[in-house]
Amino acid sequence: NAILKRKIPEKKVFFATILAICGVALMSVSDGLTMTVGAWLCIGGATCYAVQIIVTDRALGDKGSCRVLVIGVWQMAFAAVLGGIAALCVGETSLSLNGEGWIAVWGLALISSAYGYTAQTIAQKSVRPERIGFIYSLEPVFCAILAFLFFHEIMSLKELFGAILIFLSIIL
């Protein structure tokens, strides 16, 4: 975002960004500090989130709340089209789900996607895009917490230190 706006970020934002990147790296890379497929997927997802946050910020501009719903609809339309293309490429296009399967699909579509992206767009009217990015950097931390709660996975000291760095980036 700093490059597009041709504005040097504040020192606090720059330092918090370094903390968040180091934290995500510590949580993502393997013990030999090599990049696994999962680490590359994490970087790709983070890059896509960053682009989405910047595009949303630019699309909101100085307009009122009427743009929020329009942006939310466009985001879901693009997600549906890109998801459909990916499903066709992979070959996983079966629509023969049972009742529980359709409940899960609609729950994910409405709560995780439609509500999540619309709520982010609403929040982005009053929160700087950098702050939204730092909040999104908590995703691997919450994944690790859920993995502990549901699958009894234990974080290594390196991963725990990475999570602490991510929390510190939010606090700044």
Side-chain angles (χ1 to χ4, degrees):
N1 202 21
I3 294 170
L4 291 176
K5 291 186 176 182
R6 296 185 177 136
K7 180 182 165 190
I8 296 174
E10 301 171 18
K11 288 180 183 179
K12 179 174 72 170
V13 170
F14 184 77
F15 185 65
T17 302
I18 297 297
L19 283 177
I21 289 171
C22 289
V24 170
L26 287 172
M27 291 190 73
S28 301
V29 298
S30 65
D31 289 332
L33 296 180
T34 57
M35 297 291 287
T36 63
V37 173
W40 284 111
L41 288 172
C42 189
I43 289 171
T47 303
C48 290
Y49 274 136
V51 169
Q52 188 267 339
I53 290 167
I54 291 169
V55 169
T56 300
D57 181 57
R58 300 202 40 117
L60 278 174
D62 296 330
K63 303 294 182 191
S65 61
C66 63
R67 270 203 163 165
V68 172
L69 184 59
V70 172
I71 292 170
V73 169
W74 276 108
Q75 287 175 336
M76 291 303 94
F78 276 105
V81 168
L82 293 176
I85 291 170
L88 289 173
C89 290
V90 173
E92 304 276 335
T93 57
S94 174
L95 296 177
S96 60
L97 295 175
N98 59 17
E100 289 178 0
W102 280 111
I103 290 171
V105 167
W106 281 106
L108 288 170
L110 295 175
I111 297 169
S112 298
S113 299
Y115 173 76
Y117 281 105
T118 304
Q120 176 216 326
T121 306
I122 291 168
Q124 228 173 298
K125 288 186 338 185
S126 58
V127 178
R128 293 189 351 234
E130 295 86 3
R131 179 62 84 194
I132 299 284
F134 292 134
I135 292 169
Y136 269 127
S137 71
L138 284 170
E139 185 174 11
V141 176
F142 287 118
C143 288
I145 291 169
L146 291 173
F148 171 75
L149 293 174
F150 291 107
F151 302 112
H152 310 290
E153 290 187 18
I154 305 295
M155 291 175 66
S156 68
L157 286 176
K158 175 181 66 86
E159 293 167 334
L160 189 59
F161 184 64
I164 290 168
L165 289 179
I166 293 171
F167 274 118
L168 287 175
S169 77
I170 304 269
I171 293 170
L172 292 178

